[in-house]
């Protein structure tokens, strides 16, 4: 078994959609980034890549490459899943957390979990997404940005889950 941890943060800005876990969240601001800036999916990809000792998403999908401008982070996650399987591993489980003062995210979590499970080709009960606030502390609490953390376990494809 292998484990990996991921962390990402993006600033909230005007005139961008807010995409989290592949789901568009109705909100007056979105996250700034080269791709769709899906901070949750980025943290998940970094955790998966880290578990395989393959670097981070910047190495695989640099923000200097125009092919990735505006791309769905779920498309990038599919590529990371392909690398995972190519190396002989599959996801055991994923646990992640979104940190945002606003918007309230609890009602969107089931859709995020379904989207992530489908993209990673795993069962829904292998995906945990949580959301919290910082009680108005830090950049998340001041509503300047959103952060996400993820931890994954990987199992060899031959092993039973």
């Amino acid at each position: 078994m292998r484990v990996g941890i991921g962390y990402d943060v993006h600033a909230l800005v005007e005139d961008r959609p807010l995409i989290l876990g592949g789901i568009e969240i109705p909100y007056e601001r979105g996250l700034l980034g080269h791709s769709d800036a899906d901070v949750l999916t980025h943290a998940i990809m970094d955790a998966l890549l880290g578990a395989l000792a393959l670097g981070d998403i910047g190495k695989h999908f640099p923000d200097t490459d125009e092919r990735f401008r505006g791309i769905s982070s779920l498309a990038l996650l599919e590529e990371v899943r392909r690398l995972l399987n190519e190396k002989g591993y599959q996801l055991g489980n994923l646990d992640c957390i979104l940190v945002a003062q606003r918007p309230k995210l609890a009602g969107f979590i089931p859709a995020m979990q379904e989207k992530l499970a489908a993209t990673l080709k795993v069962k829904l009960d292998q995906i945990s997404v949580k959301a919290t606030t910082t009680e108005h502390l830090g950049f998340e609490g001041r509503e300047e940005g959103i952060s996400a953390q993820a931890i994954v376990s990987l199992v060899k494809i031959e092993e039973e889950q």
Side-chain angles (χ1 to χ4, degrees), residues 3 52 57 121 137 141 143:
V3 296
L52 293 171
I57 61 174
K121 299 189 184 314
L137 297 173
E143 300 177 33

Side-chain angles (χ1 to χ4, degrees), residues 34-81:
H34 185 70
S35 66
D36 64 4
D38 182 340
V39 68
L40 177 61
T41 303
H42 292 184
I44 293 166
M45 288 189 291
D46 267 349
L48 292 166
L49 291 167
L52 293 171
L54 292 176
D56 61 19
I57 61 174
K59 175 181 175 182
H60 293 268
F61 314 109
D63 63 6
T64 54
D65 191 329
E66 287 301 310
R67 291 178 301 159
F68 305 124
R69 182 171 299 283
I71 194 169
S72 166
S73 294
L74 291 181
L76 303 178
L77 182 59
E78 287 178 2
E79 177 62 18
V80 171
R81 183 194 46 78

Side-chain angles (χ1 to χ4, degrees), residues 90-92 116-127 161:
Q90 61 189 19
L91 181 70
L116 293 166
T119 303
L120 291 166
K121 299 189 184 314
V122 297
K123 297 175 188 165
L124 192 56
D125 69 359
Q126 291 172 262
I127 306 291
Q161 290 190 21

Side-chain angles (χ1 to χ4, degrees), residues 8 15 30 43 48 53 92 105 131 148:
D8 197 33
D15 300 319
L48 292 166
L105 299 171

Side-chain angles (χ1 to χ4, degrees), residues 21-39:
I23 303 299
E24 186 165 347
I25 310 294
Y27 193 55
E28 65 264 15
R29 294 182 291 160
L31 295 171
L32 181 63
H34 185 70
S35 66
D36 64 4
D38 182 340
V39 68

